[in-house]
Amino acid sequence: MTSREQRDSVSSDKPVVTQHPIRRLLVANRGEIARRIFRSAHDMGIETVAVFADGDADAPFVREAHQAVALRGRTPAESYLDVAKVLAAAQATGADAVHPGYGFLAENADFATAVIDAGMTWVGPSPHAIASMGDKLAAKALMVEAGVPTLPSVEVTDELDVLAAATTIGYPVLVKATAGGGGKGMRVVESADELIDAVAGAQREAASSFGNGIVFLEKYLPAPRHIEIQVMGDQHGSLVHLFERECSIQRRHQKIIEEAPSPVLDPLVRDAMGQAALAAAQAIGYSSAGTVEFLLDGEGSDADFWFLEVNTRIQVEHPVTEEITGVDLIREQLRVASGLPLGFAQSDLTISGHAIEARLYAEDPANNFLPVIGTLHVFEPPVSPVARIDTGVETGSVVGVDFDPMLAKVIVHAPTRTEAASRLALVLDTMAIAGVTTNRDFLVATLRHEAFLAGDTTTDFIDRVQPRTSVTVNDALLTQAATAAAMFGQEVNRSSAGVLGFLPRGYRNSSMPPETQTFTHGDHTVTVRYQAHRGGVFEAELLINDQPAATPAQVRVVDVQLDNGTITIEADGVRTPHRVTPTNNSLVVQSPAGTIELEQAARFPDYGLVAVSGGQTAPMPGKVLTVHVASGDQVNAGQPLVIMEAMKMEHTITAPTNSVVVEVRCVVGDQVDNGQVLVILDDEVSPAAVDS
């Protein structure tokens, strides 16, 4: 088939489709989605090719491909977004097809055209379909013609009176990028005072993430549900939907928990949304996998829904649809791209059970969900309960600043929604993770929250319900973790002893004073004093902030595996397994009571660690985009000082109080480290002085 035939075949009344089996597939992506595509391709007997940036050279997806090509670049722009480099890699390895995954070039019509014009098979919808949906405003206009309900919106141009347009639409309004997704280039604006800065920030973020800074205003619904319909079409004119996913649990407009089916969708509304999604797909002659997204307001048969956008690619959350339908969406994409018809009809599809997916991120929920970096000293899913884990990382992987901080998608399918939520929470709770801060505890708290279990999952869930962001630290958790850490430490010391290693654990030939180990966690100092007795038993006493925390306990190490950090302790007749992982100067201790990080108290204070008084610091490594203040400026509480970019998102550093700027320690373009002082303030200033 020629490139023109492939581009135009989906819009022809009687398409003539030539079958062209895929022999070698290049995946123009990275991480978990690259591994996911490889898995289906390998099952189909298709060879695979990976491309990789400098920082991904040792990543699992690179090893799992049959061939891998270095793109010789560090950032997305230098690697996965460089069309010429990706095409050169495909040609050098003899790839006859390209799958873009999601993100990067997945919804780039020019890239799809370039792949086809190079004589390769594009695994995705036609360039025409991608282009027609790539501009969200043009897509909305097309949906109006197709009879799909839409929300009022207007493009932001130089000629537009933005303030007047927002007033006409009605506050709150959403500032939204016309290209891309993932919550980038989006701002919710509650009043006219915030609008201009929000538009400018969204334009910058959109230009950085997608190479397109065009944004538009749209009516914002404060508490709808986010419902999306999975569609799949072939080049022979067949088109089906595979029911819905609900993706309402979001932070920064980015989904973190998705499920299928929706817990509240009425069968009549489900059918109406499915038909609307098919109408939207038919309007653009759609083939391959795609998603039509809607906002749903209300419940039951009276609920209303509005078109949001069409994602012309495979979605991050596609596994939950696969779990409830039994359809391998990647396999179907590859079959459709090779010219085969869909392997099923609409009447063949049914919903079986319930599936929930949680996105595990390297981020700090307690710090406004800011991404974090670091090395995964341990990353191991539990053996039981069973879950599907799609991940791009492993023990030893480095989480850097250049790419999205998602570590894994954890998916559970069960007969009922309650069972799925409970099992998923247990899987997350018992995963061994150490080295970076994650949103694991937040996800577990959400899945176990009564509001989630009741299906009360509108998009304002996080702000409204406010699930706990970390494990609850109480005396029981502190003492249990500290005891495990102390016992593990003495086992490590015993194993490294150069003499008398044959003696039984705890053996003494004389009376010795207790040994002491001290740990800190936040404002808590935990002291463990333990004295060995014959038979491997220790008499333990614990103090929290120098106050007795527990009566002396009989402690015995039942089992220990130093190679993987597991230790089972029997305390007063109760056996409890733990996992202890050293990470730099701390120990991560995981137990049934929760996971906690303990710092081993130093014997002497570090006088080199002196904080800068009044210093406003970078929350993570990144690049300084704008500096709003200069030395001597008077600022109000909440006033922006510096805007920086990290992991393709903007972060604004603001003044905590009414202050005077003493010193600015950064300029536009600086690459700054986590914790680096950017601006020094003197807050010894009255509000009247600042306002004058």
Side-chain angles (χ1 to χ4, degrees):
M1 180 186 294
T2 67
S3 61
R4 180 175 296 277
E5 285 172 340
Q6 186 170 0
R7 286 196 296 269
D8 297 341
S9 64
V10 293
S11 61
S12 173
D13 291 335
K14 294 182 179 180
V16 177
V17 182
T18 302
Q19 293 185 15
H20 39 94
I22 297 172
R23 182 178 63 86
R24 183 172 297 153
L25 176 72
L26 181 140
V27 177
N29 218 295
R30 65 182 295 275
E32 69 86 14
I33 188 58
R35 299 181 80 186
R36 165 68 190 93
I37 296 167
F38 291 162
R39 188 164 67 244
S40 286
H42 295 165
D43 286 346
M44 298 171 70
I46 298 172
E47 296 179 17
T48 54
V49 179
V51 290
F52 61 94
D54 293 349
D56 284 335
D58 297 322
F61 80 94
V62 176
R63 297 195 303 270
E64 291 174 4
H66 292 98
Q67 297 182 75
V69 180
L71 294 175
R72 308 297 181 194
R74 181 180 64 85
T75 67
E78 297 167 346
S79 54
Y80 301 106
L81 289 172
D82 191 317
V83 172
K85 287 183 178 179
V86 174
L87 289 178
Q91 292 165 344
T93 56
D96 56 4
V98 173
H99 194 307
Y102 55 72
F104 295 134
L105 297 170
E107 294 177 286
N108 186 314
D110 291 338
F111 178 58
T113 299
V115 169
I116 296 168
D117 287 346
M120 292 178 285
T121 295
W122 168 253
V123 184
S126 69
H128 165 74
I130 296 173
S132 64
M133 293 295 102
D135 184 323
K136 292 182 173 60
L137 274 174
K140 286 168 70 72
L142 189 58
M143 292 305 105
V144 171
E145 292 181 15
V148 179
T150 61
L151 291 168
S153 59
V154 61
E155 181 180 352
V156 175
T157 64
D158 292 339
E159 295 76 25
L160 180 71
D161 185 335
V162 177
L163 292 171
T167 300
T168 300
I169 291 174
Y171 289 98
V173 297
L174 182 66
V175 183
K176 189 174 182 180
T178 62
K184 296 179 176 64
M186 295 177 65
R187 303 286 191 279
V188 177
V189 181
E190 300 286 349
S191 67
D193 294 341
E194 309 168 18
L195 185 61
I196 301 302
D197 286 344
V199 168
Q203 288 172 328
R204 281 194 305 269
E205 196 168 88
S208 173
S209 297
F210 316 121
N212 181 345
I214 299 175
V215 300
F216 64 96
L217 307 182
E218 181 177 75
K219 178 61 181 175
Y220 178 69
L221 301 177
R225 292 177 185 268
H226 188 123
I227 308 290
E228 58 191 33
I229 306 293
Q230 177 72 58
V231 297
M232 176 69 74
D234 62 25
Q235 298 175 54
H236 301 267
S238 296
L239 186 66
V240 301
H241 73 80
L242 292 89
F243 311 109
E244 83 279 1
R245 299 185 285 259
E246 178 163 336
C247 312
S248 300
I249 308 296
Q250 304 178 5
R251 51 95 179 97
R252 292 197 302 269
H253 308 291
Q254 190 174 52
K255 309 158 190 172
I256 51 175
I257 294 178
E258 302 102 344
E259 58 182 309
S262 167
V264 300
L265 209 57
D266 180 88
L268 293 176
V269 178
R270 172 179 291 121
D271 182 66
M273 294 183 80
Q275 294 306 312
L278 291 178
Q282 287 167 347
I284 56 176
Y286 202 87
S287 65
S288 193
T291 304
V292 186
E293 301 195 351
F294 298 94
L295 295 177
L296 179 78
D297 194 24
E299 297 183 9
S301 59
D302 295 329
D304 294 317
F305 62 89
W306 293 272
F307 171 81
L308 184 60
E309 62 186 11
V310 175
N311 289 297
T312 53
R313 53 175 166 80
I314 196 73
Q315 290 276 89
V316 177
E317 58 271 22
H318 76 272
V320 292
T321 296
E322 295 183 324
E323 294 297 319
I324 66 164
T325 62
V327 175
D328 183 333
L329 294 174
I330 301 295
R331 176 177 178 272
E332 289 302 319
Q333 278 192 299
L334 295 170
R335 293 182 74 256
V336 166
S338 66
L340 294 170
L342 286 178
F344 49 86
Q346 189 71 60
S347 59
D348 297 322
L349 297 169
T350 58
I351 296 174
S352 173
H354 202 95
I356 307 178
E357 171 182 292
R359 301 191 195 185
L360 184 66
Y361 279 95
E363 64 182 16
D364 186 358
N367 189 21
N368 198 29
F369 294 93
L370 283 180
V372 298
I373 61 173
T375 299
L376 283 166
H377 296 283
V378 170
F379 186 83
E380 291 181 14
V383 175
S384 177
V386 176
R388 169 177 169 178
I389 302 197
D390 289 6
T391 180
V393 301
E394 61 187 0
T395 297
S397 292
V398 176
V399 182
V401 299
D402 294 316
F403 302 108
D404 187 274
M406 187 171 73
L407 303 177
K409 302 181 311 193
V410 185
I411 309 104
V412 160
H413 179 235
T416 68
R417 183 174 185 269
T418 299
E419 289 176 83
S422 299
R423 192 200 305 171
L424 180 54
L426 185 56
V427 170
L428 289 165
D429 212 12
T430 53
M431 287 184 72
I433 307 170
V436 298
T437 301
T438 74
N439 65 337
R440 180 249 298 274
D441 293 333
F442 171 80
L443 294 172
V444 171
T446 299
L447 291 163
R448 289 175 173 163
H449 198 284
E450 60 183 11
F452 180 86
L453 294 173
D456 184 12
T457 51
T458 50
T459 54
D460 64 341
F461 181 92
I462 292 176
D463 291 334
R464 174 170 53 84
V465 176
Q466 297 185 344
R468 62 173 174 81
T469 57
S470 59
V471 67
T472 300
V473 178
N474 52 32
D475 287 0
L477 176 59
L478 283 169
T479 56
Q480 189 176 105
T483 301
M487 293 295 99
F488 188 79
Q490 69 90 24
E491 290 289 338
V492 170
N493 292 336
R494 180 175 179 273
S495 69
S496 60
V499 296
L500 304 179
F502 60 88
L503 291 176
R505 187 180 286 115
Y507 175 84
R508 294 291 185 273
N509 62 2
S510 63
S511 178
M512 301 290 290
E515 297 184 59
T516 300
Q517 291 197 45
T518 302
F519 307 93
T520 60
H521 177 83
D523 296 332
H524 299 92
T525 299
V526 187
T527 302
V528 184
R529 294 174 180 161
Y530 56 96
Q531 188 169 29
H533 295 278
R534 294 183 184 276
V537 175
F538 295 87
E539 194 80 21
E541 181 183 13
L542 293 104
L543 299 92
I544 298 179
N545 295 336
D546 296 325
Q547 298 299 314
T551 58
Q554 295 288 325
V555 176
R556 185 168 67 91
V557 176
V558 177
D559 181 64
V560 62
Q561 302 294 328
L562 297 181
D563 56 340
N564 62 12
T566 58
I567 183 170
T568 298
I569 295 172
E570 182 181 292
D572 292 337
V574 179
R575 294 186 178 186
T576 307
H578 299 77
R579 181 156 188 163
V580 181
T581 305
T583 62
N584 300 324
N585 296 321
S586 64
L587 297 169
V588 175
V589 183
Q590 184 172 10
S591 73
T595 299
I596 188 172
E597 186 169 1
L598 300 175
E599 291 190 16
Q600 194 135 19
R603 295 180 63 190
F604 305 102
D606 186 349
Y607 295 104
L609 297 177
V610 180
V612 177
S613 177
Q616 303 308 301
T617 61
M620 62 183 303
K623 179 180 180 181
V624 175
L625 296 180
T626 58
V627 178
H628 287 289
V629 294
S631 179
D633 285 355
Q634 295 179 333
V635 295
N636 291 306
Q639 183 174 332
L641 306 174
V642 174
I643 297 177
M644 57 179 288
E645 179 188 62
M647 292 183 174
K648 293 300 177 184
M649 299 190 68
E650 287 192 3
H651 306 276
T652 302
I653 290 83
T654 60
T657 61
N658 298 328
S659 317
V660 173
V661 178
V662 176
E663 183 182 355
V664 178
R665 292 190 174 184
C666 62
V667 297
V668 173
D670 277 358
Q671 292 287 340
V672 296
D673 292 327
N674 181 35
Q676 182 172 329
V677 176
L678 306 179
V679 179
I680 299 176
L681 303 176
D682 180 1
D683 59 5
E684 297 298 323
V685 57
S686 68
V690 176
D691 294 336
S692 63

